[in-house]
Amino acid sequence: MTDATLSHPAPASNRGAIAGGIVLAVLAAALAVLPLTMTLSAYVLNMLMQAVTYTVAVLGLTVVLGYTGQLSLAQAAFFGIGAYAVALGTVDYGLGFWLSMVLGLAASAVAGAVLGLTSLRIGGHYLAMVTIAFQQIVTLVLVNSIDVTHGPDGVSGIARPNLPGVSLANAKAYLTFCIVVLYAVGLAVWYLRRTRLGRAMQAVRDNELAAGVVGVNTYRTKVVAFTISAILGGLGGALFASGFSYISPDQFSFAESVVFLTMALIGGVQSAFGTALGTGLLILLPEWLRFLKEIYLAIYGLSVILIMVFMPEGIWGLLERIAHVGGGRPAVVTPRPFRLDIPDSGPADILETRGLAKHFGGLRAVDGVDLKVERGSVHALIGPNGSGKTTLLNVLSGLYRPTGGSVSLAGRDITRLAPHERCAAGVGRTFQNIRLFRSLSILDNVLIGAQRPGAPAKGEAALRERAFEALGFVGLADKASELVGSLPYGHQRLVEIARALAGNPTLLLLDEPAAGLNPTEKQELVELLRRLKGHGLTIFLIDHDMAMVERIADHITVLNFGKRIAEGTPRDVLRHPAVIAAYLGEVPTHGAA
Amino acid sequence: MSITLQLLFTGLGIGSIYALVALGFVLIYRATNVVNFAQGDFSMIGAFLMVVFAVDMGLPYWLSAVIAIAAMAGFGILFNYGVYYPLRHRTFLPVVISTIGASILLQNGVLAAYGPHPQSLPAMLPFPGIAVGGVFLDSQYLLILAVTGAMVVLQYLFFERTMLGKKLQATSQDKEMASLLGIPVALMIGITFAYSAVLGGLAGILVAPLLFVSINMGSTIALKAFAASIIGGFGDVTGAIVGGLALGVVETFGAAYISVPYKDGFAFLVLFLFLMVRPQGVFGEKVAEKA
Amino acid sequence: MTKYGLTALLLCGALTLAASQSIAAETLKIGVVAPVTGPAAESGRFQVNGAKLAAEEVNKAGGVLGKQLELVIEDDQTTNPGAVLAFSKLAGDSDIPAFIGSIRSTQVHAMAPDVIKTGKPMMIGGTDPKLTHMGNPWLFRFRPNDTYSARVIAEYGVNVLKRKKWAIVHSTDAFGTAGKNALADQLKALGAETVITQGYTNNSQDFTPVALAVKAAGAEILSSYVTFETDQGILAKQMRQLGVDLPWIGSTTISTTSALRLAGPALNGTWGVTDFAEKSSPASEAFSQKYMAAYNTKADVFSAWPYDAVTVLAKAINDAGSTDPEKIRAALMAISGFAGAEGTYDFDQNGDGLHGYNIVHNDNGTIVFERRIDFKD
């Protein structure tokens, strides 16, 4: 790590996390030793064993749901795959615990990856439904493939593993082992949040569209998240099977998946600690409520509602919020000056479209547009409302597949590339309605931009440095640790620009960057764009503010009803009769025409 | 031939039940963007109310049904205020978990209040059924098909022809706009819950003579209904009905010609394949995310 | 914040520890694991009622070792983890010398490893033959296991009703599958033919495909292994509606009170095998009358076996003169010719107490005892 990173204090969220990490270490150490030192009744041992093995599986939901925002209702199925692998492997095939477990984890991983792969076509609650379908099919196979799975009888007599020199046959020793595994998994999941992959996951969760545009391969990220989640589910199941030595299909049903989900959400799904807390609570709660006899499960249901009503972010979410009331310290760091690494060679027109078209059913939003954007210029795209400007930008950044025509960047055909691939090719963009990763800090937002594939900055330290450079360029380095949601509107726009800049683009697409800014902020924006132009960056922007466009654009293209109606220098274009005609009824804010 | 017809009839009958519950899902989803995991328990509550009024208190059938359905409307409003309303500004997941909590509460609440014995409800029509050719048309299934058909027509008229229906539609399409137009959004959502509970309850009442009344009667139905609403294109009313009927038929034929134990799997296998080929469902949910 | 978490955690530990301590042993406690909630909650209610009835009688007769019997009931939620937790909670109480377990085989399987560790006898109602054949010395079964039901069904259908072509409908759960396999074997041994076998998963809402398949198969007799009463009810109604009018011998569920109430006339004329039949013996009749007097409901197998279990267990502890588990075990093994509500108990070396079944007939909604078939092995 460089000095620049070391001198930079951890952002508030990280600070809480580090404190949390210490708490985890102490707690885990205490818990791991606890069963060895105390006399625990079988009841307490069983309860702890269940809590610990379940937590490992629920941590999978932290990754897939908490970090990546994908609802999975098949965690019990993965739990079952792991459990059955160990059960059948040790009981029927004599493979031993470790080999069986590895096979189980591999099977879980493959199943998880397949579920993740379906997310290419399916999102949101559809994906959730696919997970339910998978869950149901796994249950049916467990019940009905009697020859292999023993059917509803379940598998009994599952042995516990041995470590070299240590027998884990004793319940206390085994529990300690499980706690150590949980500790390792918990730490890994907690740490994951701070890695490239973890940030990419959170970007997908907070704003999938923007994540793709800033270079996150959203599809691969989701597949990886599902795979990790499935592996953790399988691991929990493997430990569970050996812990209880008997398993049967009803333990891995849809209802159990719902229980897993509830555990994750009650505690706070975005945090490994919350997950552990929620799991423990949901196992203990019905046990504590046993004294209520007949109505205890009803009271338990009521408690679930009440926790959600009063603590919608989960118990840990609430605790974290209380702990955060103090606020973060401002960062004291002077970033190095901003650099852009733009290749000089290549054709004079950095962006070129030919006959580009995008139709929505009968609506021709973009209708055969030819466009050339000169390297190093500021090129503005204007047109009345509904003329297809944003659609065109979405086609350029890859959010929409064009109906026809081609797009090339610096001579390379990028028509078929996905958003993140275009980003890797050097296209950065911002959105009209700001699309930041709202639950992350400003720094993390820009870091996600900096870590785009193919960017020069490699390694965590270099990434941070790069992010600070970009933030310094837009004048927000001192606010790096704040959450983006807390920033004023104008600053959020700047963060979006910084996020794009951090990825070292060669072409920057800006969708109405001046919208919602006050005159001072607009002036600052103009200055910023001029400085960027000075760095050799090509800028392609949409805006309605003709005065501003006139001041900064070298070139203007006018769009109406999806067709290009004029093109040229600002002076020529704004006097073009077709342009004036197109704007009739919508008076431009430009006064001196 | 008669076997095919028999299976088709049964499939449509079961499918109608899925369709009614799926409608409840879809209406709540459209109004609140929430998937209600307690939807199946609405059916369970409706059926138990029917048992209380018709069997325990010995009221006439039609009167019991009217009271039970009215009670379901009230229950829906109560559910709204207890489970959804406090969380209305929250994201999707806390509300979902809240409905899961409600489901646990309802099932175990009824268990504590009524005991674990499954109850039977006599068939609603005075004859067991009609035999046409080699096909036996169970009177209860006939009733279910008729009621589902009637509900579909009534619902169409209600949403398209009445002011309240239009207000409800406006609310489900754009809450902000609706509230700007002076539509009391909170009330509309309350009504949606009431109506959804009525649909769920109705399904429960209709199915009670066939499947008996037990604490978990709603769980399986709800899961299938959820699948049905996805097949139909989540958020689409016609889709929910078509999805429900299709699911019932596919499942019945799958059981007859492929495997009975894997019956529940066909629904989900079809769903899985279906989503891969046509992720937006038959009628397509209108989700165009604007960049 | 974490301090609170830790405190809460410790508090919970303390609470559970405290809960497992008993204050003083004025009573002799018997642990009962029963499904009070969940899908089998109905049978759980019967189980608790049967056990309570027996405990009251034992107490009126002077109790056990001079103390009053006290039943400590824990809910297994009809789930395996629930059963494990419920049992281990009871097992943590060192004052409990023996337990009454579940009627569901899968839950007994789940508890079995912990029962071995605890080293105290458990009376069970699960009928999966394996339970008493897997080297667990502490399980004592108070119902005949499923190999006997298959033998009785085959014996009665082939030799008494003279039917050779059989249709078997079974639940695909542990009970149904084991029963189906045993029955197919027995039929083959008796020279009868199984023309069709149809499995279904529990809680099916519709049996049309099953009924149509059976109808088309040309069987002379229908036999069934059904787990849940609701399934039994729907199956019966649809079988009759779709024109399957074959003679029908079913497993125990076909003659339970709930199944009769749910299915109504659809089950008229069927035969059932049942370990408990009201008129099968004076002991059964006496139990039925007492049960009716106490709960105003007809007794059935779900209440008969725990009634016997508590009665026999009390006798064994009294015979042993001690709560030492080994001595109780020996006393249970020594039980011979004890006339219970379920039949006459003779524990073999596996821990199986009963070795035969009753055949009952549904006579227009009334269950009539036909005969008892017992086997020597």
Side-chain angles (χ1 to χ4, degrees):
Chain A
M1 278 194 169
T2 64
D3 290 348
T5 346
L6 286 175
S7 64
H8 159 66
S13 62
N14 275 9
R15 213 154 34 82
I18 288 167
I22 295 165
V23 172
L24 176 76
V26 173
L27 218 88
L31 269 176
V33 183
L34 202 69
L36 286 176
T37 55
M38 280 174 71
T39 358
L40 296 174
S41 68
Y43 177 54
V44 175
L45 268 176
N46 277 332
M47 223 160 36
L48 286 176
M49 189 96 78
Q50 201 188 341
V52 170
T53 53
Y54 271 42
T55 306
V56 171
V58 180
L59 279 168
L61 287 178
T62 306
V63 175
V64 77
L65 176 61
Y67 292 176
T68 323
Q70 309 298 309
L71 182 57
S72 166
L73 281 162
Q75 200 62 3
F78 297 121
F79 194 67
I81 291 174
Y84 266 89
V86 163
L88 299 175
T90 55
V91 175
D92 285 359
Y93 299 99
L95 297 180
F97 176 85
W98 301 107
L99 181 57
S100 309
M101 185 179 86
V102 169
L103 291 175
L105 298 192
S108 299
V110 170
V114 169
L115 273 194
L117 287 171
T118 64
S119 71
L120 177 62
R121 297 197 51 116
I122 302 164
H125 42 257
Y126 295 109
L127 188 56
M129 195 63 220
V130 169
T131 63
I132 295 182
F134 174 73
Q135 166 72 60
Q136 292 292 344
I137 290 165
V138 168
T139 305
L140 282 168
V141 169
L142 290 183
V143 171
N144 290 315
S145 303
I146 295 167
D147 296 342
V148 182
T149 63
H150 301 210
D153 278 359
V155 188
S156 54
I158 306 160
R160 286 189 184 142
N162 286 317
L163 287 168
V166 190
S167 163
L168 298 178
N170 170 288
K172 281 185 185 177
Y174 186 73
L175 178 60
T176 306
F177 165 70
C178 290
I179 291 172
V180 171
V181 173
L182 170 63
Y183 176 58
V185 169
L187 200 68
V189 169
W190 167 78
Y191 183 71
L192 176 66
R193 195 168 164 181
R194 282 141 197 95
T195 63
R196 278 177 94 100
L197 176 62
R199 278 193 299 267
M201 288 173 168
Q202 295 173 82
V204 170
R205 175 194 67 202
D206 280 7
N207 200 318
E208 195 170 335
L209 219 60
V213 165
V214 301
V216 174
N217 185 338
T218 55
Y219 180 43
R220 197 181 62 197
T221 307
K222 283 191 272 185
V223 173
V224 170
F226 266 100
T227 310
I228 294 178
S229 167
I231 292 175
L232 294 187
L235 181 60
L239 296 175
F240 176 86
S242 267
F244 286 89
S245 95
Y246 171 76
I247 56 168
S248 60
D250 50 346
Q251 292 161 316
F252 312 108
S253 62
F254 173 66
E256 283 303 305
S257 273
V258 172
V259 170
F260 280 132
L261 183 68
T262 315
M263 285 172 170
L265 286 151
I266 287 277
V269 71
Q270 302 195 0
S271 145
F273 308 106
T275 303
L277 193 67
T279 311
L281 189 68
L282 247 71
I283 288 176
L284 297 180
L285 195 61
E287 296 299 318
W288 289 342
L289 294 175
R290 267 179 190 274
F291 69 91
L292 293 169
K293 303 283 180 198
E294 275 97 359
I295 56 162
Y296 81 102
L297 282 179
I299 298 288
Y300 159 71
L302 188 65
S303 321
V304 170
I305 301 178
L306 291 178
I307 289 175
M308 281 296 109
V309 168
F310 294 106
M311 293 174 264
E313 294 147 44
I315 298 167
W316 189 264
L318 183 78
L319 294 178
E320 235 176 11
R321 212 146 36 113
I322 294 169
H324 270 244
V325 165
R329 279 173 293 160
V332 272
V333 66
T334 324
R336 290 200 304 192
F338 179 68
R339 295 163 286 115
L340 269 177
D341 195 7
I342 294 171
D344 305 323
S345 58
D349 293 323
I350 195 156
L351 178 77
E352 187 175 356
T353 72
R354 288 220 183 92
L356 198 60
K358 177 67 190 172
H359 301 170
F360 297 103
L363 176 71
R364 298 172 171 224
V366 175
D367 194 8
V369 171
D370 295 322
L371 192 70
K372 283 182 178 174
V373 177
E374 200 180 311
R375 179 181 295 273
S377 70
V378 174
H379 192 131
L381 179 69
I382 63 171
N385 275 337
S387 59
K389 302 185 299 291
T390 294
T391 307
L392 179 62
L393 213 62
N394 285 343
V395 174
L396 291 181
S397 57
L399 294 177
Y400 291 162
R401 271 271 146 97
T403 315
S406 68
V407 186
S408 60
L409 182 75
R412 175 186 171 203
D413 187 0
I414 59 167
T415 317
R416 296 277 141 212
L417 296 190
H420 69 273
E421 291 167 324
R422 293 188 198 218
C423 179
V427 181
R429 86 164 270 186
T430 66
F431 293 89
Q432 180 189 347
N433 47 343
I434 297 172
R435 288 179 171 273
L436 287 169
F437 308 123
R438 302 203 73 83
S439 61
L440 301 182
S441 71
I442 294 169
L443 180 66
D444 281 339
N445 267 273
V446 181
L447 270 174
I448 291 166
Q451 71 183 33
R452 71 132 166 109
K458 304 269 184 255
E460 204 56 29
L463 285 175
R464 283 181 168 267
E465 209 174 311
R466 177 66 184 168
F468 268 101
E469 279 172 32
L471 279 174
F473 187 75
V474 300
L476 289 174
D478 57 333
K479 295 199 163 56
S481 60
E482 288 178 22
L483 287 177
V484 286
S486 59
L487 284 181
Y489 193 75
H491 283 174
Q492 293 193 14
R493 284 223 173 276
L494 293 177
V495 174
E496 230 192 0
I497 293 175
R499 184 176 69 184
L501 291 179
N504 201 61
T506 49
L507 169 68
L508 183 60
L509 310 173
L510 301 173
D511 193 353
E512 300 204 24
L517 300 188
N518 64 37
T520 324
E521 288 171 337
K522 270 187 193 173
Q523 183 53 38
E524 285 167 8
L525 178 68
V526 169
E527 294 301 324
L528 183 76
L529 296 184
R530 287 203 173 126
R531 280 192 287 144
L532 279 174
K533 193 188 165 191
H535 275 84
L537 183 66
T538 313
I539 296 169
F540 183 78
L541 76 142
I542 298 175
D543 217 300
H544 278 297
D545 185 337
M546 292 306 154
M548 192 188 86
V549 167
E550 204 176 357
R551 273 163 67 203
I552 55 167
D554 301 309
H555 219 77
I556 291 181
T557 300
V558 187
L559 219 55
N560 197 20
F561 294 114
K563 286 192 188 332
R564 193 186 71 183
I565 56 167
E567 176 151 0
T569 61
R571 180 171 290 273
D572 296 341
V573 164
L574 296 177
R575 282 175 179 69
H576 197 291
V579 175
I580 293 166
Y583 271 94
L584 273 182
E586 191 192 283
V587 182
T589 43
H590 168 255
Chain B
M1 187 58 204
S2 73
I3 288 190
T4 313
L5 286 176
Q6 182 72 59
L7 291 172
L8 186 67
F9 176 74
T10 308
L12 289 175
I14 286 278
S16 298
I17 293 297
Y18 297 159
L20 278 182
V21 178
L23 265 183
F25 262 127
V26 165
L27 290 172
I28 287 188
Y29 177 75
R30 287 210 316 179
T32 63
N33 276 325
V34 167
V35 175
N36 176 19
F37 273 79
Q39 192 74 31
D41 301 304
F42 288 3
S43 303
M44 183 266 293
I45 301 277
F48 265 100
L49 287 174
M50 193 68 187
V51 169
V52 169
F53 297 132
V55 179
D56 298 351
M57 296 169 64
L59 299 179
Y61 247 53
W62 64 270
L63 184 61
S64 308
V66 169
I67 302 176
I69 284 168
M72 283 313 291
F75 173 78
I77 289 170
L78 210 69
F79 187 89
N80 172 37
Y81 280 105
V83 180
Y84 169 71
Y85 194 75
L87 287 159
R88 65 195 178 284
H89 299 307
R90 306 292 184 188
T91 50
F92 175 75
L93 282 167
V95 192
V96 166
I97 296 301
S98 176
T99 65
I100 291 174
S103 170
I104 300 171
L105 171 63
L106 290 175
Q107 290 191 15
N108 289 288
V110 172
L111 178 70
Y114 209 86
H117 304 279
Q119 304 295 319
S120 60
L121 205 57
M124 294 174 183
L125 297 178
F127 59 98
I130 319 162
V132 184
V135 182
F136 181 81
L137 307 179
D138 184 291
S139 66
Q140 192 65 27
Y141 274 130
L142 288 173
L143 184 67
I144 289 172
L145 283 167
V147 172
T148 307
M151 285 310 291
V152 169
V153 173
L154 282 178
Q155 177 163 316
Y156 174 80
L157 292 177
F158 173 67
F159 277 114
E160 301 298 329
R161 301 290 165 82
T162 69
M163 204 55 213
L164 181 61
K166 284 182 180 163
K167 281 182 181 171
L168 283 171
Q169 272 206 330
T171 309
S172 70
Q173 272 157 18
D174 190 338
K175 276 192 260 313
E176 270 174 47
M177 198 60 196
S179 112
L180 285 176
L181 291 171
I183 297 173
V185 169
L187 179 67
M188 292 300 128
I189 290 178
I191 293 175
T192 306
F193 269 96
Y195 182 55
S196 178
V198 165
L199 283 176
L202 193 62
I205 291 170
L206 287 169
V207 86
L210 289 169
L211 305 185
F212 308 124
V213 182
S214 62
I215 310 295
N216 357 42
M217 64 180 288
S219 312
T220 328
I221 299 178
L223 204 57
K224 300 277 181 60
F226 186 39
S229 47
I230 294 268
I231 289 180
F234 218 73
D236 189 277
V237 170
T238 323
I241 294 158
V242 174
L245 294 176
L247 206 59
V249 171
V250 164
E251 173 178 289
T252 309
F253 276 87
Y257 291 110
I258 306 172
S259 159
V260 179
Y262 281 98
K263 186 179 93 179
D264 293 344
F266 297 123
F268 293 102
L269 201 63
V270 167
L271 178 81
F272 189 78
L273 297 174
F274 195 85
L275 283 176
M276 295 313 290
V277 179
R278 197 178 155 79
Q280 68 275 35
V282 184
F283 291 87
E285 180 188 359
K286 285 154 201 85
V287 272
E289 198 175 6
K290 267 190 90 176
Chain C
M1 53 177 178
T2 46
K3 221 193 297 171
Y4 291 131
L6 206 64
T7 317
L9 207 79
L10 291 175
L11 205 67
C12 116
L15 275 176
T16 41
L17 285 175
S20 59
Q21 306 293 326
S22 63
I23 305 141
E26 291 106 358
T27 56
L28 196 140
K29 292 194 235 176
I30 299 294
V32 180
V33 179
V36 179
T37 60
E42 163 160 52
S43 71
R45 185 73 55 98
F46 278 110
Q47 182 184 339
V48 170
N49 283 348
K52 278 186 177 161
L53 188 63
E56 280 162 21
E57 284 175 17
V58 168
N59 287 339
K60 264 186 218 152
V64 178
L65 302 180
K67 294 177 188 169
Q68 292 284 292
L69 263 192
E70 180 194 344
L71 299 178
V72 186
I73 296 150
E74 287 297 341
D75 178 18
D76 65 22
Q77 301 164 20
T78 327
T79 67
N80 292 343
V84 169
L85 285 183
F87 175 71
S88 52
K89 186 168 185 191
L90 292 170
D93 186 343
S94 57
D95 290 342
I96 298 181
F99 310 90
I100 309 293
S102 178
I103 194 171
R104 289 180 31 119
S105 296
T106 164
Q107 263 113 55
V108 179
H109 271 298
M111 291 184 283
D114 283 6
V115 173
I116 295 188
K117 270 181 248 158
T118 308
K120 292 176 181 174
M122 174 184 260
M123 319 299 118
I124 58 167
T127 50
D128 179 356
K130 267 190 279 177
L131 285 170
T132 49
H133 292 77
M134 55 188 189
N136 188 334
W138 298 108
L139 298 180
F140 292 87
R141 180 161 19 219
F142 282 75
R143 298 181 59 205
N145 75 45
D146 288 331
T147 53
Y148 295 109
S149 67
R151 286 169 74 174
V152 171
I153 290 175
E155 173 84 24
Y156 193 78
V158 176
N159 292 336
V160 180
L161 300 175
K162 308 285 181 208
R163 305 281 168 158
K164 294 283 182 194
K165 287 181 165 179
W166 287 63
I168 307 177
V169 174
H170 68 97
S171 156
T172 53
D173 69 7
F175 159 77
T177 311
K180 179 248 324 184
N181 289 336
L183 179 57
D185 291 347
Q186 292 298 324
L187 288 174
K188 202 184 267 176
L190 293 175
E193 182 194 358
T194 306
V195 293
I196 185 167
T197 305
Q198 286 275 299
Y200 70 90
T201 41
N202 285 339
N203 292 314
S204 283
Q205 297 121 345
D206 179 63
F207 289 90
T208 307
V210 174
L212 292 176
V214 168
K215 192 178 175 187
E220 298 168 350
I221 185 165
L222 170 64
S223 60
S224 63
Y225 274 90
V226 173
T227 308
F228 291 126
E229 282 87 357
T230 45
D231 285 332
Q232 180 73 63
I234 300 169
L235 177 66
K237 279 188 175 180
Q238 291 192 328
M239 280 285 180
R240 298 315 188 205
Q241 279 177 357
L242 297 171
V244 178
D245 295 317
L246 299 172
W248 185 351
I249 311 184
S251 67
T252 310
T253 309
I254 205 169
S255 59
T256 53
T257 317
S258 294
L260 294 184
R261 193 163 42 80
L262 294 176
L267 281 176
N268 286 358
T270 58
W271 287 272
V273 296
T274 178
D275 35 324
F276 172 72
E278 207 180 319
K279 299 265 160 67
S280 63
S281 72
S284 310
E285 224 167 332
F287 163 70
S288 305
Q289 282 161 7
K290 283 183 273 192
Y291 194 87
M292 182 52 110
Y295 303 108
N296 200 26
T297 319
K298 275 194 151 187
D300 65 11
V301 56
F302 294 111
S303 45
W305 83 265
Y307 174 83
D308 281 354
V310 171
T311 314
V312 170
L313 181 61
K315 176 175 158 46
I317 298 175
N318 274 332
D319 292 351
S322 151
T323 56
D324 177 69
E326 283 293 352
K327 287 185 181 152
I328 299 176
R329 187 180 131 72
L332 279 166
M333 292 304 239
I335 297 269
S336 175
F338 179 91
E342 287 258 319
T344 306
Y345 288 88
D346 283 297
F347 281 94
D348 59 22
Q349 75 280 5
N350 298 319
D352 273 316
L354 297 171
H355 308 89
Y357 266 92
N358 307 301
I359 290 275
V360 292
H361 186 244
N362 181 330
D363 223 350
N364 287 325
T366 319
I367 295 298
V368 183
F369 174 70
E370 291 259 320
R371 67 172 74 182
R372 170 130 191 138
I373 301 178
D374 269 305
F375 298 93
K376 287 280 163 255
D377 52 328

